[in-house]
Amino acid sequence: MSTPTITDKAGIAGGRLFLLDQHPSSNQWMKDSSIELSHGDVVRVHDQTAGRGRLDRTWVAPAGQSLCLSVYLQTPDLLSHPERCGLSAALAIHDTLSELSIQSQLKWPNDIWVDQKKISGILLEKTSDPAGIILGIGLNVSIPQTVLDAAQLDRPATSILSQLNGAPPLDEVWQLLRHALTVRLLQTNDTAWPQQLAAWTRHDALTGTSVTLRTVTGLATGDYAGLSPDGCLQLKTDSGMVSFLAGDITRVTQT
Ligand code: BTN
């Protein structure tokens, strides 16, 4: 573990940027430091040694080849609609990749895919005292395809390097993402949200598919019917339309 270097106003929305050489997990660092954090603070870890993924998975990130960061969020809008943080962040990552001429798709709840391979993931966690949201983002930047293939991840993965046969420096990607996050996270109030959700839908990877979802109560299969305004996945099943707040998509087939 290392001591962070801190730069004022280099996070998002006027927050600070904490840079750490090495830490097990940027989300964990934020959890442990939440008492001292403010809205818009960001921590980036150069060498994240035990990154956490959704559903107790691990997030593989070789040192210096991936953006590993967490953003602390505390506005009333976001605290009352945490699902908007993840959906907006996924759009911001999509925007960042577009700036680099990579076309990506969004897969509920918060995955970003390119050519059917995952390039980025998001882990949302909460702090209770003080109340806040930790938005953790992992983006594969210059990880060679051979390394991703050898890591035997549970899903196929790709990186900016694989897509472009070259990758910009991490700092350059961070500056693009920082701008996109600032813009997208400002559009989470009730007035702006329908437009932001419409943007998400335009890049939805699941449109026109049949989906199997694993939930805490078992498997559910149905035709994908988009997201509800509160970010739930909707499936048209044999027993009617069902909304899911959480789950893991295990199978997708074109309809
Ligand atoms: C997923 O797709 O399963 C979510 C992956 C989230 C990984 C990021 S890397 C930065 C932040 N710190 C963590 O420990 N995890 C998230």
Side-chain angles (χ1 to χ4, degrees):
M1 262 185 246
S2 52
T3 317
T5 56
I6 308 170
T7 312
D8 281 341
K9 299 191 192 310
I12 65 157
R16 295 165 293 177
L17 176 65
F18 296 76
L19 284 177
L20 278 169
D21 279 343
Q22 191 181 63
H23 197 278
S25 153
S26 59
N27 269 31
Q28 187 58 47
W29 183 87
M30 278 212 152
K31 264 193 178 171
D32 296 341
S33 319
S34 62
I35 193 87
E36 290 154 38
L37 298 178
S38 311
H39 178 73
D41 284 348
V42 174
V43 59
R44 266 182 61 191
V45 178
H46 176 78
D47 181 13
Q48 179 171 266
T49 53
R52 299 204 291 253
R54 287 181 65 238
L55 307 168
D56 289 331
R57 297 190 177 111
T58 52
W59 182 258
V60 175
Q65 297 185 338
S66 158
L67 266 185
C68 293
L69 63 94
S70 304
V71 185
Y72 197 61
L73 299 169
Q74 264 189 324
T75 60
D77 268 346
L78 291 172
L79 286 174
S80 50
H81 294 287
E83 76 288 351
R84 294 183 187 177
C85 299
L87 297 173
S88 305
L91 269 171
I93 296 163
H94 170 90
D95 296 344
T96 301
L97 292 170
S98 289
E99 287 289 321
L100 297 168
S101 303
I102 297 173
Q103 291 317 309
S104 61
Q105 289 190 300
L106 310 178
K107 186 158 162 264
W108 184 88
N110 294 320
D111 283 359
I112 297 87
W113 288 63
V114 178
D115 286 345
Q116 314 290 330
K117 294 177 177 176
K118 184 161 168 169
I119 195 164
S120 177
I122 293 170
L123 178 66
L124 285 176
E125 298 187 272
K126 284 186 181 172
T127 59
S128 50
D129 190 18
I133 295 169
I134 296 170
L135 168 68
I137 296 176
L139 172 59
N140 299 338
V141 176
S142 54
I143 312 179
Q145 193 61 47
T146 44
V147 172
L148 291 167
D149 293 343
Q152 296 190 314
L153 304 168
D154 57 326
R155 311 209 166 172
T158 188
S159 65
I160 292 176
L161 175 68
S162 287
Q163 293 299 317
L164 298 180
N165 293 320
L170 274 185
D171 280 344
E172 212 171 286
V173 182
W174 158 239
Q175 289 308 333
L176 291 174
L177 180 59
R178 177 179 173 231
H179 173 73
L181 279 170
T182 304
V183 171
R184 290 293 183 182
L185 287 167
L186 276 177
Q187 294 169 23
T188 49
N189 56 55
D190 288 347
T191 312
W193 187 243
Q195 235 184 321
Q196 183 114 295
L197 200 59
W200 205 99
T201 303
R202 282 198 292 280
H203 307 299
D204 190 339
L206 297 177
T207 304
T209 64
S210 166
V211 165
T212 299
L213 186 73
R214 189 190 303 125
T215 73
V216 279
T217 54
L219 291 180
T221 298
D223 287 340
Y224 180 64
L227 299 191
S228 64
D230 54 357
C232 290
L233 175 130
Q234 303 179 112
L235 292 186
K236 201 170 155 199
T237 69
D238 290 343
S239 41
M241 196 70 88
V242 189
S243 282
F244 298 90
L245 189 59
D248 194 30
I249 293 171
T250 56
R251 195 178 142 86
V252 177
T253 48
Q254 297 299 319
T255 50

